[in-house]
Amino acid sequence: TLAGDLEAALDLIRDVPDFPEPGVLFRDLTPVLSDAKALGALVYGVAAACPAADVVAGIEARGFLLAAPVAYGCGVGMVPVRKAGKLPAVAAKVSYALEYGTAELEIAVGAIQPGQRVAVIDDVLATGGTAAAACELVEQAGGVVAGVVVVLEIAALNGRAELEGYQVTALRTV
Ligand code: PRP
């Protein structure tokens, strides 16, 4: 079944202890991406969970890997939400807190048309800082957030609290 194929795909996510720092459990989607059947099931699963939208936004870098095929499959365009300093013309910029220091996300001029509904996609929802910044960025750029879809939600980090008011869907919650 489709549901069974998706569960099998999600079972391939690899937990890597102590990466990128001691005490952090890294969730690695590489084994899902490299398996043809699992990749198809994952892309289909994210697309099926996606709210109706005019465009799909993916968060650098791992969100890109999903957002582009999902957008293609849904017949809409894809917008990269980029880490700072990569874009020649920046329409909007939002800072967000990291464990140590801050980071910034940017969106390109012309990537989102005023009033467009935008589905925001990423691989993992942890503290929620990244996804919340992406939503704020979409709104600053003139878009309307249709919802957030992630593959894996780490419930203990309560990222959903950062996304109050948005529809958040996780394919799997751990
Ligand atoms: C990871 C992940 C999410 C974010 C989740 O990306 O892909 O974007 O962290 O964390 P948060 O909910 O605590 O904000 P990372 O910043 O490692 O970037 P990468 O995808 O470029 O590796």
Side-chain angles (χ1 to χ4, degrees), residues 16-27:
V16 183
D18 299 318
F19 185 87
E21 310 169 15
V24 175
L25 184 61
F26 184 80
R27 312 289 179 154

Side-chain angles (χ1 to χ4, degrees), residues 10-16 25-32:
L10 296 174
D11 287 344
L12 294 177
I13 296 171
R14 181 165 54 196
D15 294 346
V16 183
L25 184 61
F26 184 80
R27 312 289 179 154
D28 184 14
L29 269 72
T30 309
V32 189

Side-chain angles (χ1 to χ4, degrees), residues 7 39 85 109 126 154-155 162 166:
E7 289 306 310
L39 176 62
V109 169
I154 318 294
E162 296 292 319
Y166 297 111

Side-chain angles (χ1 to χ4, degrees), residues 17 21 35 38 42 65 71 76 93 104 116 122 131 142 153 156-157:
E21 310 169 15
D35 180 291
L42 184 68
L65 302 171
V76 301
K93 178 198 282 276
E104 286 167 333
Q116 271 193 325
D122 207 353
E153 174 184 9
L157 295 178

